[in-house]
Amino acid sequence: MTTEKIIIAADHGGYSLKEALKTHLKRMGFAVTDAGTDSDLAVDYPDFGEKAAGAVSAGLFPRGILICGSGVGMSIVANRFPGVRAALCLDEETARLSRMHNDANVLVLAGRKTDPETAVKIVGTWLTTPFEGGRHRRRLDKIREMELKRK
Ligand code: RB5
């Protein structure tokens, strides 16, 4: 069995949650690449969102996790990258649906809203729920066509 690679990044608003999740992901058997930030000193979320979402968009990682204070800034950044389907998830149900219906390949978390215990549950659900395909595939294909039209 090959170890799945995952990339994780955060700004200062997500730094401490990133550190907690890194440990958890390693325990789950993932090969974790940390694209920063490395402290809780203020940084700009687009710089770190770009590192992880860019790597997923380029096919270097199948999935990624992004964290900022609210999750909103990282979502806006990530969804600008072709092929990235980023989902801001504040609960397990949204995490499940983002996989089943949207085949989300980037999970966005809110470091200032979600405690580590809840985040671990959200991440676990998100990582283990498969995409349903079928009519959802057709809808994702339409999104892909939009990306290609605007290239
Ligand atoms: C940083 O203060 C905060 O604006 C950022 O973490 C994020 O919530 C932006 O959307």
Side-chain angles (χ1 to χ4, degrees):
M1 208 182 79
T2 54
T3 310
E4 188 181 331
K5 297 192 301 178
I6 194 159
I7 186 162
I8 189 166
D11 74 352
H12 53 293
Y15 170 70
S16 68
L17 186 55
K18 171 170 72 65
E19 294 306 301
L21 286 177
K22 250 168 46 179
T23 309
H24 177 71
L25 288 165
K26 284 177 189 164
R27 271 200 214 117
M28 283 178 81
F30 283 86
V32 182
T33 294
D34 182 353
T37 185
D38 299 324
S39 77
D40 55 13
L41 292 178
V43 291
D44 296 336
Y45 62 83
D47 298 335
F48 295 89
E50 181 180 20
K51 286 178 204 274
V56 172
S57 178
L60 302 174
F61 292 84
R63 299 199 268 189
I65 298 177
L66 284 173
I67 317 168
C68 62
S70 64
V72 173
M74 285 299 199
S75 303
I76 292 171
V77 171
N79 280 313
R80 301 190 78 83
F81 287 81
V84 168
R85 294 173 300 280
L88 169 56
C89 297
L90 301 178
D91 55 59
E92 275 187 87
E93 179 60 7
T94 314
R96 187 174 295 111
L97 287 169
S98 80
R99 290 288 315 132
M100 287 166 62
H101 291 188
N102 313 109
D103 197 18
N105 53 8
V106 170
L107 171 66
V108 185
L109 295 167
R112 293 182 180 145
K113 288 219 145 301
T114 305
D115 60 76
E117 200 185 322
T118 306
V120 160
K121 288 184 191 158
I122 291 172
V123 166
T125 297
W126 190 76
L127 287 170
T128 54
T129 304
F131 177 49
E132 267 183 6
R135 66 188 189 282
H136 303 296
R137 175 79 269 155
R138 183 181 73 238
R139 293 161 186 166
L140 294 188
D141 288 345
K142 290 189 176 186
I143 295 172
R144 185 69 187 144
E145 278 165 28
M146 285 177 202
E147 283 178 345
L148 294 172
K149 261 194 270 176
R150 278 157 184 78
K151 247 185 167 182

